[in-house]
Amino acid sequence: MEVSFTTATCSLIMVSLVMLWAWKLLNWLWLSPKRLERLLRAQGLQGNPYRLLVGDTMEMFKMFKERNKCQQSMSSLSNDKDIAPHVFTFNHYIVQKFGKNSFLWEGPTPKVIITNPEQIKEVFNRNNDFEKPKLSPLIKLLGTGLANYEGEKWQKHRKIINPAFHSEKLKIMVPTFLQCCDYMVSKWEGMLNSDGKCEIDVWPFLQNLTCDVISRTAFGSSYEEGKRIFELLKEQAELVMKLRNIYIPGWQFLPTTTQRRMKAIDRDIQASLKGIINKREKAMKAGQVLNNDLLGILLESNYKEIQEHGNNKTVGMTNQEVIEECNAFYIAGQETTSVLLVWTILLLSRHPDWQARARDEVLQVFGKQKPDNDGLSRLKIVTMILYEVLRLYPPLVYFNRAIHKDVKLGNLSLPAGVHVSLPILMIHHDRDIWGDDATEFKPDRFSEGVAKATKGQVSFFPFGWGPRACLGQNFAILEAKMILSLLLQSFSFELSPAYAHAPITVLTLNPKYGAHVILHKL
């Protein structure tokens, strides 16, 4: 009798657990998405009807494949053509189909597209209501770091990292920018024909250059080890993007050859960074002053924070967290500047009048002398050009935020479980905001600064905006100014007939077929 009672109890528990699991699955796959859809439609938001589990994913994937097939024909596009339909294909399609008040489905999660500058401002300012979405296991392999933390952890890391990007610290980096760029200029000069010109794809050179810069500025004397880490991160990013393009749910978690390689890369990166950090910590304990690179400044700031709280290590960053921030230095630092520079060179190649104006300014400020920090701060035309490039070709084409509790956003009531998307590229190209010439290269729109160009609206945010704006944006702009100044002093450039205009998002907005230009030695 007692055995029967125990068996019956166990059976009842098992049935209850199965029913609970089934209910949660039903709620996740169907009931919750349909409830959220009703709430969004009741406020006038439009989108495709929810499809079980996949949402818009299959349609998105189909459109992605079709875009890749026809992208070869984009060689006929000029740099003044609106690239949003080709780069931001599905989001652009949804907005064209349903209007600016629309949403799309990423699996069972509805994502509301926010294009109103006032609402964008609210999203950026209200950190606690609009948080970064949880990273997928795939993206975590590229590192987390400050950009993906929330609450107290974000505040702690921001405080510790902030000194590394102070203007006085950035000045220390300028000679490194100069040294790395000089090396690339020498390479290009060695490739010139007897008539003083040559045709090259500048994209891999710029990637190597910014890799060299971030390796040296982040790790100082350990830059060779740093460059190896970057190569591993680059391979990891390519593998992550490859798996992200597979739409079969759960496919990316199978123990495939690709997955095993990704895990091996992650272990290698972690071990290499740990070795660099351990050596640096030993040197610091031995009394050596090593605060002239990003890692040294970060470790020094972290050490001071711990000391100020009575040697309480819980207030500082752990070694693992320092490793994550180093990953972030690498990916954000290298990617952002390389894409900014490549689109700048391509646009100046297409617009020789602006190239000449930029060169005249550089020669007026520096002559044939090497650029310095003081002179870089006086480059108004170069700054206008870089802002316009960031407007037309922002490194990231969108930001996402997650909502974990019901919130009001302007006239919208957004329920918990919804995500919002801030489509940077589409807003930067919006004719209602920027005028009929929104897709044209016109740097003089920034002649009186960003605030005047945007009429005080939050409609230009290549590095984010508000409290969570990217800490490294001044680093990226300073590096770009230095490199562009040196190139303008040494060469003029024009587009090669071999250039095919095909912007594509990998991690950032890249030229799919490279950046072929003809260099002329000055």
Side-chain angles (χ1 to χ4, degrees), residues 236 239-240 242-243 254-265:
Q236 191 79 297
L239 293 173
V240 165
K242 178 182 172 184
L243 285 184
L254 295 177
T256 61
T257 303
T258 300
Q259 285 283 16
R260 288 195 294 272
R261 174 59 186 155
M262 290 171 75
K263 288 178 181 176
I265 290 172

Side-chain angles (χ1 to χ4, degrees), residues 172-396:
I172 300 171
M173 316 272 174
V174 169
T176 302
F177 299 160
L178 186 61
Q179 178 189 359
C180 296
C181 192
D182 269 344
Y183 179 68
M184 187 185 77
V185 167
S186 296
K187 267 189 174 181
W188 286 6
E189 287 175 339
M191 297 167 66
L192 295 169
N193 300 323
S194 57
D195 58 357
K197 66 179 184 179
C198 69
E199 180 179 329
I200 64 168
D201 178 4
V202 299
W203 177 227
F205 286 96
L206 293 172
Q207 288 178 298
N208 289 334
L209 169 61
T210 52
C211 166
D212 198 24
V213 167
I214 202 69
S215 297
R216 291 175 186 273
T217 54
F219 298 119
S221 59
S222 302
Y223 77 94
E224 286 293 352
E225 294 168 75
K227 285 180 77 171
R228 181 178 167 277
I229 293 166
F230 170 74
E231 289 302 321
L232 289 169
L233 278 170
K234 188 177 175 183
E235 183 185 351
Q236 191 79 297
E238 289 169 356
L239 293 173
V240 165
M241 295 309 294
K242 178 182 172 184
L243 285 184
R244 283 186 75 188
N245 291 332
I246 297 172
Y247 74 94
I248 302 169
W251 176 266
Q252 64 266 40
F253 303 113
L254 295 177
T256 61
T257 303
T258 300
Q259 285 283 16
R260 288 195 294 272
R261 174 59 186 155
M262 290 171 75
K263 288 178 181 176
I265 290 172
D266 186 53
R267 288 193 298 271
D268 201 345
I269 291 171
Q270 297 281 327
S272 298
L273 283 170
K274 190 174 181 180
I276 292 172
I277 291 165
N278 286 343
K279 280 193 286 186
R280 189 63 63 89
E281 284 186 327
K282 285 179 183 176
M284 287 175 65
K285 287 174 183 176
Q288 294 181 38
V289 178
L290 299 167
N291 62 354
N292 59 347
D293 57 36
L294 292 173
L295 178 58
I297 297 166
L298 176 61
L299 290 174
E300 181 185 59
S301 179
N302 192 40
Y303 179 74
K304 283 181 179 177
E305 183 72 10
I306 292 168
Q307 293 302 303
E308 284 173 10
H309 290 81
N311 209 27
N312 180 1
K313 291 191 175 181
T314 60
V315 300
M317 288 193 283
T318 64
N319 272 5
Q320 182 58 37
E321 288 171 340
V322 172
I323 287 171
E324 296 294 345
E325 297 301 346
C326 288
N327 271 0
F329 282 161
Y330 246 111
I331 293 175
Q334 191 276 337
E335 285 280 333
T336 301
T337 313
S338 62
V339 297
L340 172 55
L341 284 166
V342 77
W343 294 118
T344 301
I345 288 175
L346 289 171
L347 284 164
L348 290 182
S349 296
R350 185 152 189 95
H351 297 274
D353 54 332
W354 278 102
Q355 184 182 156
R357 288 179 66 179
R359 182 176 294 105
D360 289 345
E361 180 181 58
V362 168
L363 293 175
Q364 183 181 348
V365 173
F366 301 115
K368 284 293 185 177
Q369 300 300 310
K370 298 297 184 185
D372 57 40
N373 189 71
D374 180 57
L376 292 174
S377 66
R378 301 201 307 272
L379 296 177
K380 182 179 177 181
I381 292 172
V382 168
T383 302
M384 287 159 47
I385 288 169
L386 292 174
Y387 284 160
E388 181 69 342
V389 174
L390 286 167
R391 187 185 70 82
L392 289 171
Y393 294 86
L396 296 176

